[in-house]
Amino acid sequence: MKIIKRDGHMVDYCPAKIEEAIEKANLEVEEEDRASSIQIKNIIKYIERLGKKRILVEDIQDIIEMKLMSIGKYELAKHYITYRYTRELIRRSNTTDQSIKELIDGESEYWNTENSNKDAKVVTTQRDYLAGITSTDITRRFLLPEDIVQAHDDGIIHFHDADYFAQNALHNCDLIDLNDMLQNGTNINGVMIEKPHRFLTAMTIATQLITAVNSSQYGGCTITLTHLAPFVRSSREFYENKYKKRKLTKAQCEKFVKEDLAKEITDGVQTFQYQINSMTTTNGQAPFLSVCLYLGETEEYKEELAMIIEEVLKQRMEGMKNENGVYVTPAFPKLLYVLEEDNINPDSKYYYLTKLAAECTAKRMVPDYISEKVMKENKIDKNGNGQCYPCMGCRSFLTPYVDEAGKPKYYGRFNQGVVTINLVDVALSSDKDEEDFWKIMDERLELCHRALQIRHKRLSKVTSDVAPILWQHGALARLKKGESIHDLLHGGYSTISLGYAGLYECVKYMTGHSHTDNGKGKEFALLVMQHLVDKCNEWKNDENIDYSVYGTPIESTTYKFAKCLKDRFGVIKGVTDRDYITNSYHVPVFEEIDAFTKLSLESEFQKLSPGGAISYVETANLTNNLDAVMEVITFIYNNIMYAELNTKSDYCHECGYSGEILIDDKLEWYCPNCGNRNHDKLNVARRTCGYIGTNFWNKGRTQEIKERVVHVDNKDA
């Protein structure tokens, strides 16, 4: 008989351990309450007569308690339960101690690859991780029910960001209301920040505000350049007044104003880019920031906005210098370029910006593209109007919202948190019985629902004092001191996310087909997605909380889920035979499919993932084939809400090679030019889960990156 331990590993059955545990409890009670050696042996025989090939260690402990009570040893049973609980505390404490030791020693693959944008050797990152280990321990022991912890450990669900959950003040991600903070003033650490009068000042203040906000939550955040455009006009007026006083000709004034304004925009964007990448938040990394480039957000300041967008794209295309002084691809900020009638056609006024964006994408993997046309078809507010707005961070989308004045509102809103269901485990647990599949699905969804309720209830205790920059000084609200954020958690103002992962493997196991097959595979996949949406709507209607289906960006969790599935179900060809599972609704990375078919198919699934989704196509080096990039961008505009192009932009410090760093069969990275395998001397940038990672990945994600097929080659144009 094999014993399944709490971490999923199996060990040989050992009756001596049962005897030892009961004898230790015997020592804690009076002699007449003790179990005799014969009674102990009978309990052991009962367990062995069950004839099980495998049994959970918790089930054995339950049997021992039941048998002790059945022979009248109630006091002994009570002490055995106490012993069991004490052992559990020690076990968890030892696990925490071990995690801390592995982190500090720097020898743990998990900590060194937990986040592709965090360097676990750096002291600020270690400090964040150490706090996270403690938070996770408290969360597991005191804040979550045992069945949710067990389901998380077994890879049945994933309770995200447990390393921040002990602090009930923290939420997931948001759209920063930079307009409110810049126009009306704000406050950082008790210091009043008044409205800036120049663009350069506004850009400097913006980076400080972003860093402060990012340190007060744990997910990604997004700003829009539209909120900075008015300050370009302020700077122009400053220069106009300056040169008018010098009694120059009109032509001279216009020339000098244009030159000075262009320089200030260049300096402002450069300041922004350098500060965002050089600042460190309390999370131990640069601010996890996305920047929206959307001309349609303003008519009044559209020309000024276009000037900023152009400069941002130019500087991002150039890249940032690494320690060797070579320009490389930075991870942040992520850029979100909105495609619209004013910039998508060759005769559009701002088409030149889209061409510039395409060139930037080919070289630096950004920007990503949002189709105003498709988004307005997908995102309909209660007044029946289509809305377009950016995601929070890499992919988390708010649901449409109209304020009391009847105006759409997005900036100043946020997401409360995520719990993810492992769809592959649901399928495998059903053993291909469709009736059992839906039954198990509902059981697992209710588990996620309860976990999400715990997240919501914990946030509902928060007052504005815990993060003044967020709740009192304009980033998300202007609440009074001590005022509760409770109302902001209801009525659709904020969202809370039901994540999902592994749709492909789920469908493959249940139907024998990929969800790319226009038959049973796709049909079943759409049923699964609709079921998730229906559940979220049911919870929303019952609780007035905006539950939303979210295509989870599982970075390290893809490896964890894959390992758990192998432990629970063994290796199943085409389902559990890799060290990763497929993100959200994506076509699996190894499936041969052209870019346009992929985007068309995934567009159908984006509609059923309103809380967050992003699609991508993998491309060859297209820096010399911008026509191909433009063809994909145009297709995105007409067919899918949100998508990106994944190119390769790496650098080897040893030989100066610039191109694609490769992965060998042992999942080790190496330079194809000189063979260098030293991670410290390789700059590698890959899109990981909607954002660019630069610090390497765990084995599961590395295998996934290695197996990605190219959807757009140079010959495809």
Side-chain angles (χ1 to χ4, degrees):
M1 182 164 54
K2 295 286 187 180
I3 306 298
I4 304 173
K5 304 288 282 183
R6 290 173 180 83
D7 62 2
H9 292 94
M10 286 192 289
V11 297
D12 291 331
Y13 166 71
C14 179
K17 290 186 177 180
I18 297 174
E19 187 173 359
E20 178 186 357
I22 299 175
E23 288 290 5
K24 284 186 177 179
N26 264 342
L27 298 175
E28 302 296 324
V29 299
E30 299 294 332
E31 190 169 345
E32 61 269 21
D33 294 319
R34 295 174 183 170
S36 67
S37 59
I38 293 175
Q39 289 171 324
I40 295 173
K41 283 181 170 45
N42 285 338
I43 291 173
I44 292 171
K45 287 179 181 177
Y46 175 84
I47 293 170
E48 293 170 348
R49 282 199 300 269
L50 293 173
K52 291 183 176 289
K53 292 182 179 179
R54 296 185 299 173
I55 187 169
L56 293 170
V57 66
E58 292 95 337
D59 290 345
I60 288 181
Q61 292 170 337
D62 289 343
I63 291 169
I64 293 169
E65 291 171 15
M66 178 190 69
K67 283 297 180 182
L68 289 175
M69 288 188 282
S70 71
I71 60 175
K73 301 297 182 182
Y74 301 106
E75 190 68 21
L76 178 61
K78 184 170 73 173
H79 279 273
Y80 176 78
I81 293 170
T82 303
Y83 166 79
R84 177 181 177 182
Y85 176 71
T86 303
R87 292 295 301 167
E88 174 71 1
L89 289 180
I90 293 171
R91 181 184 68 81
R92 293 189 181 187
S93 175
N94 286 343
T95 301
T96 300
D97 292 346
Q98 183 65 26
S99 295
I100 291 172
K101 184 177 184 302
E102 289 174 351
L103 170 65
I104 293 172
D105 289 347
E107 298 172 355
S108 167
E109 180 198 3
Y110 173 81
W111 290 114
N112 290 337
T113 59
E114 190 272 340
N115 185 312
S116 61
N117 288 302
K118 286 186 176 183
D119 186 347
K121 297 188 294 294
V122 177
V123 66
T124 51
T125 305
Q126 282 200 2
R127 182 171 58 190
D128 179 62
Y129 278 151
L130 285 169
I133 292 169
T134 304
S135 171
T136 301
D137 183 47
I138 292 170
T139 297
R140 293 171 60 87
R141 286 196 288 141
F142 302 116
L143 303 179
L144 294 180
E146 187 175 334
D147 60 339
I148 289 176
V149 173
Q150 192 63 56
H152 172 90
D153 289 347
D154 291 342
I156 290 169
I157 68 171
H158 187 73
F159 188 90
H160 290 261
D161 305 295
D163 49 342
Y164 297 109
F165 188 65
Q167 300 177 64
N168 62 6
L170 292 171
H171 69 279
N172 185 18
C173 51
D174 45 55
L175 295 182
I176 302 174
D177 195 343
L178 199 59
N179 184 64
D180 186 341
M181 302 175 87
L182 291 175
Q183 293 293 338
N184 302 315
T186 187
N187 190 300
I188 301 177
N189 296 334
V191 177
M192 181 182 291
I193 310 294
E194 295 182 315
K195 178 180 176 178
H197 301 295
R198 299 270 299 277
F199 176 72
L200 181 57
T201 310
M203 290 294 266
T204 303
I205 292 173
T207 62
Q208 296 166 346
L209 297 178
I210 290 162
T211 304
V213 169
N214 221 222
S215 294
S216 299
Q217 40 94 261
Y218 57 79
C221 61
T222 297
I223 65 157
T224 178
L225 292 180
T226 304
H227 293 167
L228 290 153
F231 299 98
V232 173
R233 185 170 298 180
S234 297
S235 290
R236 176 187 282 117
E237 291 169 353
F238 170 82
Y239 292 121
E240 286 173 346
N241 291 330
K242 172 184 173 181
Y243 289 113
K244 280 179 183 177
K245 292 177 182 178
R246 298 185 181 181
K247 298 181 180 180
L248 301 171
T249 65
K250 183 179 179 182
Q252 287 175 320
C253 283
E254 289 177 352
K255 178 179 182 294
F256 294 150
V257 167
K258 184 177 180 180
E259 290 174 350
D260 285 1
L261 185 61
K263 184 178 187 310
E264 182 166 339
I265 291 173
T266 299
D267 291 346
V269 170
Q270 185 180 63
T271 296
F272 185 90
Q273 179 164 282
Y274 272 96
Q275 290 195 176
I276 287 298
N277 281 279
S278 61
M279 287 178 167
T280 301
T281 70
T282 55
N283 299 342
Q285 64 183 117
F288 190 156
L289 176 69
S290 293
V291 176
C292 179
L293 292 64
Y294 183 15
L295 291 164
E297 283 186 324
T298 180
E299 287 300 324
E300 183 178 2
Y301 297 102
K302 186 169 286 191
E303 290 304 314
E304 289 87 353
L305 177 57
M307 295 169 71
I308 307 173
I309 291 173
E310 181 177 7
E311 187 61 34
V312 165
L313 292 172
K314 285 179 177 178
Q315 291 197 25
R316 190 55 176 273
M317 199 185 322
E318 183 179 40
M320 296 192 73
K321 289 183 179 180
N322 63 13
E323 55 265 45
N324 286 352
V326 176
Y327 284 100
V328 296
T329 299
F332 293 109
K334 179 183 171 82
L335 302 181
L336 307 168
Y337 186 86
V338 180
L339 302 168
E340 51 191 303
E341 282 301 309
D342 273 355
N343 63 21
I344 193 60
N345 298 310
D347 57 351
S348 300
K349 181 177 181 180
Y350 298 103
Y351 186 67
Y352 71 96
L353 290 178
T354 304
K355 290 181 67 177
L356 192 60
E359 190 178 351
C360 187
T361 290
K363 190 171 183 180
R364 299 296 180 197
M365 280 192 281
V366 295
D368 300 343
Y369 297 94
I370 293 173
S371 167
E372 181 189 61
K373 174 184 174 181
V374 178
M375 191 173 192
K376 284 187 172 182
E377 294 170 357
N378 290 356
K379 304 287 188 183
I380 310 294
D381 66 28
K382 67 179 183 180
N383 295 329
N385 299 317
Q387 299 294 337
C388 182
Y389 47 91
C391 57
M392 303 175 285
C394 72
R395 72 179 66 198
S396 180
F397 277 99
L398 292 161
T399 47
Y401 181 83
V402 176
D403 64 19
E404 294 177 355
K407 294 182 178 180
K409 179 171 176 57
Y410 299 100
Y411 297 98
R413 293 174 58 203
F414 59 98
N415 181 266
Q416 299 176 36
V418 185
V419 176
T420 290
I421 183 171
N422 184 343
L423 295 175
V424 194
D425 198 291
V426 175
L428 294 173
S429 297
S430 75
D431 199 24
K432 296 186 180 179
D433 184 307
E434 196 164 325
E435 185 177 342
D436 280 352
F437 174 85
W438 294 113
K439 180 182 176 183
I440 294 167
M441 172 75 83
D442 284 342
E443 290 171 353
R444 302 283 174 80
L445 287 175
E446 188 52 37
L447 201 63
C448 291
H449 181 207
R450 286 173 43 226
L452 287 168
Q453 286 178 317
I454 292 168
R455 281 196 176 281
H456 169 80
K457 289 174 183 176
R458 195 151 178 78
L459 266 179
S460 67
K461 299 175 183 178
V462 171
T463 66
S464 66
D465 297 331
V466 301
I469 190 72
L470 300 180
W471 312 115
Q472 295 175 3
H473 301 308
L476 301 180
R478 292 281 184 177
L479 301 179
K480 297 176 182 177
K481 290 185 177 181
E483 191 174 352
S484 172
I485 72 166
H486 185 270
D487 288 348
L488 303 179
L489 306 178
H490 295 84
Y493 190 86
S494 59
T495 55
I496 190 164
S497 301
L498 170 66
Y500 64 95
L503 181 65
Y504 162 76
E505 289 85 357
C506 167
V507 172
K508 182 73 173 178
Y509 179 77
M510 294 299 295
T511 69
H513 299 274
S514 167
H515 62 314
T516 59
D517 295 343
N518 281 320
K520 192 173 181 182
K522 182 179 175 183
E523 179 183 319
F524 188 76
L526 291 171
L527 283 175
V528 170
M529 292 299 300
Q530 187 62 56
H531 194 78
L532 300 181
V533 171
D534 291 343
K535 274 296 175 184
C536 282
N537 288 336
E538 178 186 318
W539 302 337
K540 176 181 177 179
N541 292 334
D542 288 345
E543 302 166 31
N544 195 26
I545 301 169
D546 214 342
Y547 293 93
S548 195
V549 179
Y550 172 74
T552 309
I554 49 173
E555 183 175 341
S556 60
T557 306
T558 189
Y559 189 31
K560 173 199 169 184
F561 273 0
K563 289 194 295 183
C564 287
L565 289 166
K566 287 179 182 178
D567 287 342
R568 284 166 58 78
F569 303 103
V571 176
I572 301 169
K573 187 176 180 181
V575 181
T576 66
D577 54 349
R578 289 177 165 86
D579 286 332
Y580 63 90
I581 66 170
T582 303
N583 268 30
S584 62
Y585 58 76
H586 288 171
V587 174
V589 297
F590 48 80
E591 187 169 316
E592 297 286 345
I593 188 171
D594 71 88
F596 307 115
T597 302
K598 183 179 191 291
L599 292 174
S600 293
L601 174 87
E602 292 188 346
S603 178
E604 295 184 58
F605 291 95
Q606 276 196 5
K607 295 174 185 176
L608 295 170
S609 194
I614 186 168
S615 291
Y616 72 90
V617 291
E618 202 75 23
T619 78
N621 184 340
L622 299 178
T623 51
N624 295 319
N625 193 353
L626 296 183
D627 287 343
V629 180
M630 288 300 300
E631 188 177 354
V632 174
I633 290 173
T634 303
F635 189 86
I636 290 170
Y637 172 72
N638 287 307
N639 294 277
I640 190 167
M641 186 181 79
Y642 182 33
E644 60 196 12
L645 287 77
N646 289 350
T647 58
K648 285 83 178 175
S649 180
D650 306 328
Y651 178 78
C652 174
H653 292 248
E654 286 285 358
C655 67
Y657 169 79
S658 181
E660 180 181 358
I661 301 299
L662 302 179
I663 307 170
D664 66 18
D665 292 338
K666 295 181 180 179
L667 302 182
E668 292 294 333
W669 295 84
Y670 70 96
C671 172
N673 187 55
C674 71
N676 173 32
R677 294 171 181 267
N678 183 349
H679 285 192
D680 293 333
K681 294 188 176 183
L682 291 172
N683 277 105
V684 175
R686 289 291 182 280
R687 189 94 59 181
T688 307
C689 303
Y691 50 86
I692 298 172
T694 56
N695 277 332
F696 298 97
W697 301 263
N698 62 43
K699 288 183 178 179
R701 181 58 68 189
T702 303
Q703 183 185 16
E704 184 265 329
I705 292 171
K706 176 179 172 58
E707 294 184 354
R708 292 177 182 179
V709 301
V710 173
H711 305 117
V712 182
D713 207 327
N714 272 309
K715 64 184 179 182
D716 293 328

